[in-house]
């Protein structure tokens, strides 16, 4: 279990998926960003423990996509941050 909330890999995936669905249904973008921050924290912890786990890339790609759906500068900044993380840590794989 990873991050401050001790999320499982399935929990991380479900949090990201649910956040995307909530955005599609018109949920408050700032509340969604707050929930995604916990998933992001968990992925960082997951990567510290298992840096070569190929599922991390899948989770980060999904996270970036959901952040990119958030119509605000904060959402765009979060999407850029995750894109840079992917490029920096996983581009060579």
């Amino acid at each position: 279990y990873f991050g401050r909330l001790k999320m499982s890999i399935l929990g991380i995936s479900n949090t990201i998926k649910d956040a995307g669905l909530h955005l599609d249904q018109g949920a408050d973008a700032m509340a969604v960003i707050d929930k995604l921050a916990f998933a992001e924290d968990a992925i960082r912890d997951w990567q510290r423990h298992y840096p070569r786990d190929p599922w991390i890339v899948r989770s980060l790609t999904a996270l970036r996509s959901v952040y990119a759906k958030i119509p605000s500068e904060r959402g765009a900044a979060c999407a850029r941050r995750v894109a840079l993380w992917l490029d920096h840590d996983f581009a060579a794989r």
Side-chain angles (χ1 to χ4, degrees):
Y1 294 93
F2 306 105
R4 290 174 289 196
L5 294 185
K6 300 299 180 198
M7 298 175 80
S8 67
I9 293 169
L10 181 60
I12 294 166
S13 177
N14 285 340
T15 297
I16 296 168
K17 181 178 142 199
D18 290 348
L21 292 172
H22 288 136
L23 282 172
D24 292 342
Q25 296 169 355
D28 176 58
M30 293 306 112
V32 170
I33 285 178
D34 291 341
K35 289 179 183 175
L36 289 173
F38 289 115
E40 186 174 339
D41 172 66
I43 295 169
R44 286 190 186 282
D45 190 33
W46 176 13
Q47 184 182 4
R48 277 190 291 276
H49 287 88
Y50 303 99
R52 298 206 180 273
D53 190 331
W55 285 88
I56 295 170
V57 172
R58 180 179 288 200
S59 293
L60 285 175
T61 301
L63 180 63
R64 180 187 60 197
S65 295
V66 175
Y67 274 141
K69 292 168 66 172
I70 298 171
S72 70
E73 180 53 38
R74 187 171 171 206
C78 290
R80 283 191 301 273
R81 182 181 62 244
V82 174
L84 289 171
W85 179 5
L86 275 163
D87 288 345
H88 182 269
D89 291 3
F90 299 100
R93 292 185 194 181

